[in-house]
Amino acid sequence: LRAHGSSTRLEMTRKRRNGGRSKHGRGHVNYVRCTNCARCVPKDKAVKKFVIRNIVEAAAVRDLTEASVYDVYPLPKLYHKLMYCVSCAIHSKIVRNRSRQARRDRNPPPRFRPRIDDQPNRQTGGGQQQGSAPIRT
């Protein structure tokens, strides 16, 4: 508890500035169901993840392009908005527990994309670089 100025009103300490919600000024927000456990969660409190992926798996893309009549055919994509309750989002590692100082950082986490440098060198034939010793097992 903390005394608020010279008045006698006591105020509880808060963990988050927004109370874990983003409904500022709205009295009530509709509920959504968690994708994982079907729990009712306020829409502004739910952890949202927008997934865009190909309908066809990566392994079957080559077979599909070889069998296709068309030279260039854009593969259809699957668009899905996942909404999780906080406990499912933590359990499935969509969000992580952060320290008090790290919680102030409002920037989104960096996106990891595969770099072109990580692919094996095609000219030298495989994963070995020029001038490197063979791997012993």
Side-chain angles (χ1 to χ4, degrees):
L1 296 172
R2 132 181 94 137
H4 194 68
S6 60
S7 65
T8 58
R9 186 174 153 224
L10 295 175
E11 192 177 306
M12 294 286 288
T13 53
R14 292 188 304 176
K15 191 171 186 180
R16 287 173 190 84
R17 185 174 71 177
N18 61 2
R21 301 185 65 163
S22 63
K23 84 177 171 74
H24 304 286
R26 286 182 278 281
H28 183 265
V29 178
N30 289 331
Y31 287 95
V32 293
R33 302 306 287 257
C34 173
T35 307
N36 193 33
C37 69
R39 178 187 208 164
C40 276
V41 191
K43 188 178 179 183
D44 63 309
K45 188 174 190 171
V47 179
K48 297 160 201 79
K49 182 180 178 184
F50 193 65
V51 176
I52 305 170
R53 59 180 188 166
N54 288 332
I55 290 178
V56 185
E57 294 176 355
V61 170
R62 189 168 153 232
D63 299 336
L64 205 76
T65 51
E66 288 175 359
S68 178
V69 178
Y70 303 106
D71 294 334
V72 178
Y73 179 72
L75 289 171
K77 296 204 182 294
L78 191 70
Y79 299 92
H80 199 109
K81 186 160 190 178
L82 304 170
M83 295 195 186
Y84 294 95
C85 64
V86 175
S87 46
C88 285
I90 292 169
H91 182 72
S92 54
K93 295 180 181 172
I94 294 162
V95 290
R96 295 234 162 83
N97 193 6
R98 298 193 293 172
S99 67
R100 182 182 290 181
Q101 195 62 34
R103 258 183 251 138
R104 289 172 175 255
D105 181 21
R106 295 174 56 107
N107 296 326
R111 294 190 177 184
F112 297 106
R113 295 189 180 222
R115 290 193 333 211
I116 299 169
D117 306 3
D118 293 344
Q119 293 178 351
N121 195 349
R122 292 182 186 175
Q123 294 174 346
T124 56
Q128 287 186 8
Q129 299 293 326
Q130 286 180 333
S132 64
I135 301 169
R136 295 183 186 153
T137 55

